[in-house]
Amino acid sequence: MKQTHELMVPPRTIMTPGPVEAEPSVLRAMSSTILGQFDPNFTSIMNETMALLRHVLQTDNHWAFPVDGTSRAGIEAMLCSVIEEGDTVLVPCFGRFGYLLTEIAERCGGDVHVMECEWGTVFDPDHIVAKIDEVEPKVIAIVHGDTSTGRMQPLKKIGEACRERGVLLIVDAVATVAGTEVKTDEWMIDGLITGTQKCLSVPPGMAPLTYNDRIEAVLCQRKSIEKGLSTANTVVSNRRIRSNYLDLSQLQDYWSPARLNHHTEATSMLYGLYEGLRLILTEGLNARFKRHKLNEMALVAGLQAMKLKLFGDMSCKLPMVTCVVIPSNVNGEHVRTMLLEEFGIEIASSFGVLHGKIWRIGTMGYSCQKRNVLMTLAALEAVLIRQQAHISKGEAVQAAMDVYKEMEMTNPVGRT
């Protein structure tokens, strides 16, 4: 075997919609001693992490814990544990990740009804309420903030309508938790999933989620059916939760005092999640939301100073993702490559109908700081000049600095 060399990872400034740069203290926490999963010190960390999650997710739900795996694992755990064969499911799609919910719900055997709107916009909540009354779903699965289009769907009215009609509301809040307001209980969300790799500033590998007693009742019913499978008929056995690893009814036993030996917990990831949540609450949710908004405003001001066009309806813009229309005379991938190779800065392209038409610049979590925004604007301007793009020169960084100066004088937010 050829001798290998020590792993060398190049330094990067990550300005994508995820993953983002991890908090340094999170990485330090992840290098801590490995404990056994039933060591009292480790189970104490599990309990403390659940308590921290409740605060960050703004919920009084008993169940708030991470699923091991990236955010998609959490989404699959929630949907496959709730949706049974033949259940009617409504999925309003305003970007790529709504179609991911659709696919997973279909794989669970759901009778899925899809609503669509133009990418770059979101739904009028009244239209979704009308569709609820039309199809009478058991479940609505919806994305809160879709990073493929950089848009954010208002949820409060939808949650109220679902609760009045006995419909379960399941929300993909992977991109939004800890970056903007997500009020699980106030918005009457029954099940919510997020991910460590975005505004939580923890490496990819866990999907924190929470659910209320309405979803727990579904899980308990399906669990009781599973216990009777030896005598059950085919119709009943089809109601069994299809996944073992992602079975929330078993996972909640693992996270309960019973400590069901379901799987081996990802110990280092849990250390990182604990530290990431601790840092969020130390900064304060409102201060954190203001920091994300401030850096978004500075980035947008710089992009507009270059006379670059922003994509989508600004009234429903996702605060931590800014979508930029690629100038007609510019190769978008050449720009991204030059930013990475010459400056060590990564921005993202997009998907589907938007691939090659927009760049997506993220300002999330630890990556959401003044230094990153100013460096990205300066580097992007330099690259666009090299690409002979038709932009205004020399104003981008100054425009962003003006935003920071004005906001920090009138409304200090601490770390920027």
Side-chain angles (χ1 to χ4, degrees):
M1 177 180 174
K2 183 179 179 180
Q3 186 174 1
T4 58
H5 57 77
E6 181 183 355
L7 179 66
M8 300 293 291
V9 180
R12 291 285 187 259
T13 298
I14 304 180
M15 300 296 283
T16 72
V20 304
E21 299 170 42
E23 290 271 3
S25 66
V26 165
L27 298 178
R28 291 194 295 271
M30 292 178 69
S31 67
S32 301
T33 302
I34 299 298
L35 296 174
Q37 61 180 335
F38 300 115
D39 184 315
N41 288 280
F42 188 73
T43 55
S44 176
I45 294 171
M46 293 173 69
N47 292 337
E48 291 172 22
T49 301
M50 290 179 72
L52 292 170
L53 262 178
R54 293 187 193 102
H55 287 292
V56 170
L57 300 178
Q58 299 188 57
T59 183
D60 291 326
N61 290 342
H62 176 71
W63 297 113
F65 57 84
V67 172
D68 293 343
T70 55
S71 49
R72 189 170 304 196
I75 294 169
E76 288 213 33
M78 186 73 73
L79 294 183
C80 80
S81 297
V82 172
I83 299 171
E84 300 180 40
E85 189 82 33
D87 281 345
T88 302
V89 181
L90 177 62
V91 183
C93 298
F94 58 97
R96 179 203 183 196
F97 294 100
Y99 295 103
L100 173 62
L101 297 180
T102 299
E103 179 190 338
I104 295 173
E106 288 174 343
R107 285 173 179 252
C108 296
D111 175 18
V112 182
H113 297 252
V114 177
M115 294 180 69
E116 298 177 303
C117 66
E118 181 182 355
W119 283 25
T121 67
V122 296
F123 294 93
D124 181 332
D126 288 334
H127 294 167
I128 294 178
V129 173
K131 195 68 174 179
I132 294 171
D133 291 333
E134 177 187 336
V135 305
E136 298 182 344
K138 171 184 174 180
V139 173
I140 290 183
I142 190 168
V143 177
H144 183 213
D146 199 309
T147 57
S148 68
T149 62
R151 302 305 108 182
M152 185 164 64
Q153 174 67 52
L155 294 175
K156 189 174 188 297
K157 191 169 187 178
I158 298 168
E160 292 169 350
C162 286
R163 191 62 55 88
E164 289 170 0
R165 293 158 175 79
V167 177
L168 295 174
L169 176 60
I170 294 176
V171 174
D172 167 353
V174 171
T176 51
V177 166
T180 191
E181 200 75 80
V182 181
K183 297 183 176 182
T184 302
D185 290 355
E186 184 177 322
W187 296 349
M188 299 184 183
I189 297 169
D190 296 296
L192 180 140
I193 312 98
T194 189
T196 53
Q197 75 275 19
K198 295 186 186 284
C199 295
L200 271 63
S201 301
V202 178
M206 276 189 162
L209 52 74
T210 185
Y211 53 89
N212 60 18
D213 54 359
R214 283 156 48 91
I215 284 184
E216 185 180 5
V218 174
L219 303 180
C220 290
Q221 182 187 48
R222 297 188 76 180
K223 186 176 182 180
S224 66
I225 289 169
E226 183 170 341
K227 288 179 178 178
L229 278 178
S230 58
T231 58
N233 60 31
T234 303
V235 174
V236 173
S237 66
N238 281 342
R239 298 186 64 190
R240 185 183 193 183
I241 294 174
R242 302 290 179 87
S243 174
N244 175 283
Y245 189 73
L246 300 176
D247 181 343
L248 287 184
S249 72
Q250 294 189 50
L251 286 169
Q252 71 178 26
D253 286 344
Y254 179 74
W255 283 85
S256 77
R259 301 298 176 201
L260 172 73
N261 189 11
H262 177 261
H263 68 287
T264 301
E265 186 53 40
T267 52
S268 297
M269 278 301 307
L270 188 65
Y271 300 159
L273 176 59
Y274 173 93
E275 178 62 11
L277 295 172
R278 186 191 70 80
L279 290 172
I280 290 166
L281 295 175
T282 298
E283 181 178 1
L285 286 174
N286 289 334
R288 196 174 182 91
F289 302 155
K290 289 177 181 178
R291 173 164 64 85
H292 279 78
K293 190 64 182 175
L294 171 60
N295 285 291
E296 176 209 25
M297 291 171 59
L299 176 64
V300 166
L303 294 169
Q304 290 178 331
M306 278 191 273
K307 298 296 189 285
L308 290 171
K309 181 181 178 182
L310 302 185
F311 169 80
D313 181 351
M314 294 298 288
S315 69
C316 55
K317 183 184 178 302
L318 190 58
M320 63 291 295
V321 179
T322 300
C323 298
V324 186
V325 177
I326 299 172
S328 57
N329 66 325
V330 168
N331 184 308
E333 289 306 298
H334 288 176
V335 169
R336 291 181 62 240
T337 298
M338 188 175 289
L339 279 172
L340 193 65
E341 292 180 351
E342 303 296 334
F343 295 93
I345 296 172
E346 183 181 5
I347 65 172
S349 180
S350 194
F351 311 97
V353 296
L354 295 179
H355 181 69
K357 295 183 179 179
I358 66 170
W359 295 305
R360 297 176 303 141
I361 304 176
T363 44
M364 289 182 161
Y366 187 69
S367 291
C368 179
Q369 51 182 291
K370 181 196 295 187
R371 179 183 69 90
N372 285 7
V373 170
L374 296 179
M375 288 197 313
T376 299
L377 287 170
L380 181 59
E381 182 179 280
V383 170
L384 288 173
I385 291 171
R386 297 287 289 188
Q387 295 282 326
Q388 299 183 330
H390 304 308
I391 62 168
S392 293
K393 304 172 186 177
E395 301 295 331
V397 172
Q398 294 302 317
M401 291 177 71
D402 287 343
V403 170
Y404 287 123
K405 182 178 180 180
E406 179 180 355
M407 290 297 292
E408 288 168 1
M409 288 176 61
T410 59
N411 189 24
V413 297
R415 186 178 71 174
T416 58

